[in-house]
């Protein structure tokens, strides 16, 4: 079975006004020949303009979240179809900032994944333990249970990825050791195979949490790591390109 192409996805979170489109263009211009698929997930309001700014480039554009329903009376929300209509091809779902800040359960994340599939978006589903859970020796159990609870059966045969993002590593400059990353990625892989069969070997499992140009090569070459979800370091083209070049 061929290995999946690595995916390097930038999560801009709630950062970026119009001038930031120049950073995205600089990524597109600098990406060159790479085996990786490269994506930028800007705030939803920038997606359409980013599609225009990156015209002709191979860089994919994604959303960061959407509602689980397709349309309706949900003031302030955005649907998956709206993201797709604006030009998004992927979407991050179940990020720990949404699980913690908006109380998104595995069930809610799973419903959002179904909405993404209905809209033709490729989901990147995030899982990861807190520091307390890791210190209690619960990291593997937590991550396995998030994978089982957040990934609906309907994903079978579709393109999606899972991002392992230890909550304590996001935006902190801390990262797990390489063996710790490999242990969790292996647990995610075996859970995916349990759920979806051997075809799940082709699902990229991304690592996310304080990935920088300086640590990217070691992380990206670890066993079962199929790419990275990058927050802070995706905001500057030079840093993001440094990570892409480490693939
Ligand atoms: C993230 O929020 O998905 C993330 C990985 O952030 P950072 O790279 O800044 O730790």
């Amino acid at each position: 079975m061929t290995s999946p192409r690595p995916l390097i996805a930038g999560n801009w979170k709630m950062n970026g006004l119009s001038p930031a489109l120049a950073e995205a263009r600089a990524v597109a211009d600098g990406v060159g020949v790479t085996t990786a698929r490269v994506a930028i997930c800007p705030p939803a309001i920038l997606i359409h303009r980013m599609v225009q700014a990156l015209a002709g480039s191979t860089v994919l554009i994604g959303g960061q979240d959407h509602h689980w329903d397709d349309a309706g009376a949900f003031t302030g929300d955005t649907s998956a179809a709206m993201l797709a209509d604006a030009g998004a091809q992927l979407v991050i779902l179940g990020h720990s900032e949404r699980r913690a800040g908006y109380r998104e359960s595995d069930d809610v994340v799973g419903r959002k994944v179904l909405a993404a599939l209905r809209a033709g978006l490729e989901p990147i589903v995030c899982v990861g333990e807190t520091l307390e859970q890791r210190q209690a020796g619960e990291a593997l159990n937590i991550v396995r249970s998030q994978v089982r609870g957040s990934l609906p059966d309907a994903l079978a045969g579709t393109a999606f990825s899972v991002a392992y993002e230890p909550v304590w590593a996001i935006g902190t400059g801390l990262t797990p050791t390489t063996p710790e990353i490999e242990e969790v990625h292996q647990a995610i892989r075996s859970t995916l195979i349990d759920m979806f069969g051997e075809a799940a070997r082709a699902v990229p499992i991304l690592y996310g949490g304080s990935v920088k140009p300086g640590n990217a090569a070691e992380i990206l070459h670890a066993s079962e790591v199929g790419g990275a979800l990058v927050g802070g370091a995706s905001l500057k083209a030079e840093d993001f390109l440094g990570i892409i070049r480490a693939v």
Side-chain angles (χ1 to χ4, degrees), residues 11 13 92 95 97 126 165 169-173 207-212 229-233:
N11 173 14
K13 313 192 186 193
I92 299 166
H95 192 282
E97 287 155 15
C126 303
E165 298 208 302
I170 295 179
T172 59
Y207 169 79
S210 296
V211 179
K212 311 278 179 225
L229 182 55
V230 184

Side-chain angles (χ1 to χ4, degrees), residues 106 143-152 190-192 194-195:
D106 289 340
V143 166
R144 282 193 197 103
S145 122
Q146 287 177 335
V147 169
R148 286 197 181 278
S150 308
L151 300 184
S190 53
T191 308
L192 290 173
D194 236 36
M195 295 170 72

Side-chain angles (χ1 to χ4, degrees), residues 220-234:
L220 289 169
H221 293 119
S223 161
E224 292 292 5
V225 173
L229 182 55
V230 184
S234 70

Side-chain angles (χ1 to χ4, degrees), residues 22-188:
E23 289 297 322
R25 186 65 240 181
V27 171
D29 291 341
V31 77
V33 177
T34 171
T35 55
R37 294 196 303 149
V38 176
I40 301 176
C41 304
I45 196 88
L46 276 186
I47 288 175
H48 181 60
R49 275 178 291 167
M50 191 173 284
V51 168
Q52 294 171 322
L54 301 193
S57 110
T58 54
V59 174
L60 306 166
I61 296 172
Q64 301 174 12
D65 178 50
H66 55 63
H67 200 273
W68 59 81
D69 256 329
D70 295 337
F74 302 104
T75 302
D77 271 316
T78 303
S79 72
M82 289 169 187
L83 296 184
D85 187 46
Q89 291 151 286
L90 306 95
V91 65
I92 299 166
L93 293 172
H95 192 282
S96 62
E97 287 155 15
R98 297 217 53 97
R99 289 180 184 266
Y102 299 85
R103 297 177 189 279
E104 286 190 11
S105 61
D106 289 340
D107 180 60
V108 164
V109 176
R111 288 158 67 193
K112 290 186 174 195
V113 170
L114 292 174
L117 296 181
R118 288 195 295 275
L121 294 175
E122 177 182 329
I124 302 170
V125 183
C126 303
V127 297
E129 82 286 358
T130 64
L131 188 56
E132 295 67 36
Q133 289 164 336
R134 174 157 285 271
Q135 286 170 341
E138 282 300 312
L140 295 184
N141 284 342
I142 293 292
V143 166
R144 282 193 197 103
S145 122
Q146 287 177 335
V147 169
R148 286 197 181 278
S150 308
L151 300 184
D153 295 346
L155 280 170
T158 72
F160 69 98
S161 50
V162 175
Y164 167 54
E165 298 208 302
V167 178
W168 51 274
I170 295 179
T172 59
L174 302 172
T175 51
T177 63
T178 301
E180 284 170 341
I181 293 174
E182 290 178 333
E183 181 184 38
V184 179
H185 279 235
Q186 185 53 56
I188 293 173

Side-chain angles (χ1 to χ4, degrees), residues 8-21:
I8 308 293
N11 173 14
W12 281 18
K13 313 192 186 193
M14 198 173 72
N15 296 295
L17 301 173
S18 307
L21 293 170

